[in-house]
Amino acid sequence: MAETRRRTALVTGGSRGIGRAIVRCLVRDGISVVFSYARNEAAAEEVLATDRDQDVTIAAVQADLADRDAPKRLYDEAEQLVGRLDILVNNAGSDIVPLPIAQTSDDDYDQLMAVNTRAVFVLMREAVGRLRDGGRIINISTVNTVAPTPAVAVHSASKAAVEQFTACAAREVGPRGITVNAVSPGATDTELLRGNNPGVDLEAVLAPVTALGRLGQPEEVADVVAFLAGPGGRWITGQTVRVSGGLA
């Protein structure tokens, strides 16, 4: 009887927060994962220590996705490490510094768009030609595309573009059985959320406007990504799934 081939995945921004939870969730499901990290090597090493089956690979690649050449290089390195990919999860995003439009510099705009939009597009462009048939592309968006707030205009716009990439790509690669979806988290309890809101009682501010009355956890977003990446997600494509506890 032939051995079952391990499925393979590339997860961008996998060293912390939602990305780290996604890596661990996919590994739990027996998928070999390459993940990228921008700067925090210590955090990446913690993820590499994740418990796994002996023949499941976890590998980390340092890549600053604001660099124009980094996305394609990352995809190439991932294939060298685990072979042809089955799954691409575009999770990495530029750290959000909430700024009103009037205070947003050209550099702020370029940085956000480079990581949140251009890098996602380039990785998707590689994936649509190189993923195995029946593969998965999953893009992480934000609830701010449908629940706009002050000071996140560029961030929201960058992710709105990703949702459109998702819808269009689903039509292009559907004949090969590849699904393309976006997952749109709401207020999720991560270092990034707390770091961008110093001194704010997030539970007091956000819990009352969320149907489930609390902040989300990274693992709750990761579980949805894992579902879409698995056999249960085979008939879902072109969708943006709001994982917000009813925030939007």
Side-chain angles (χ1 to χ4, degrees), residues 140-223:
I140 305 302
S141 183
T142 175
V143 76
N144 290 128
T145 60
V146 293
T149 60
V152 293
V154 180
H155 173 70
S156 299
S158 71
K159 293 295 191 176
V162 168
E163 292 181 10
Q164 290 302 309
F165 295 163
T166 298
C168 293
R171 294 283 182 171
E172 294 183 14
V173 297
R176 292 177 51 207
I178 296 173
T179 67
V180 189
N181 292 288
V183 171
S184 175
T188 307
D189 194 359
T190 62
E191 295 173 19
L192 182 61
L193 179 69
R194 294 192 178 276
N196 287 333
N197 295 276
V200 177
D201 186 343
L202 295 173
E203 286 80 2
V205 172
L206 294 172
V209 296
T210 301
L212 293 179
R214 62 176 176 82
L215 296 178
Q217 296 300 312
E219 293 75 16
E220 293 172 316
V221 179
D223 283 342

Side-chain angles (χ1 to χ4, degrees), residues 8 14 30 39 69 73 80 85 89 112-113 115 126 134 165-166 188 199-200 205 208 220 223-224 245:
T8 58
R39 290 171 292 278
D69 296 327
R73 175 180 64 81
Q80 290 170 12
L85 295 175
V89 182
L112 270 166
M113 287 295 182
V115 177
E126 295 303 311
F165 295 163
T166 298
T188 307
V200 177
V205 172
E220 293 172 316
D223 283 342
V224 177

Side-chain angles (χ1 to χ4, degrees), residues 78-144:
E79 284 197 328
Q80 290 170 12
L81 288 164
V82 295
R84 191 172 179 186
L85 295 175
D86 297 287
I87 301 160
L88 168 66
V89 182
N90 278 307
N91 167 75
S94 181
D95 287 349
I96 307 162
V97 179
L99 287 171
I101 291 173
Q103 297 174 25
T104 301
S105 70
D106 290 351
D107 287 343
D108 295 328
Y109 179 94
D110 289 345
Q111 172 71 19
L112 270 166
M113 287 295 182
V115 177
N116 291 7
T117 309
R118 187 185 69 212
V120 171
F121 180 82
V122 173
L123 282 161
M124 288 181 68
R125 185 176 65 198
E126 295 303 311
V128 297
R130 296 163 67 174
L131 277 185
R132 293 181 184 276
D133 289 355
R136 304 283 192 266
I137 299 172
I138 303 165
N139 300 318
I140 305 302
S141 183
T142 175
V143 76
N144 290 128

Side-chain angles (χ1 to χ4, degrees), residues 46-63:
E46 291 180 6
V47 180
L48 289 171
T50 299
D51 289 339
R52 59 192 183 275
D53 290 343
Q54 189 173 7
D55 58 346
V56 172
T57 299
I58 310 179
V61 176
Q62 191 281 325

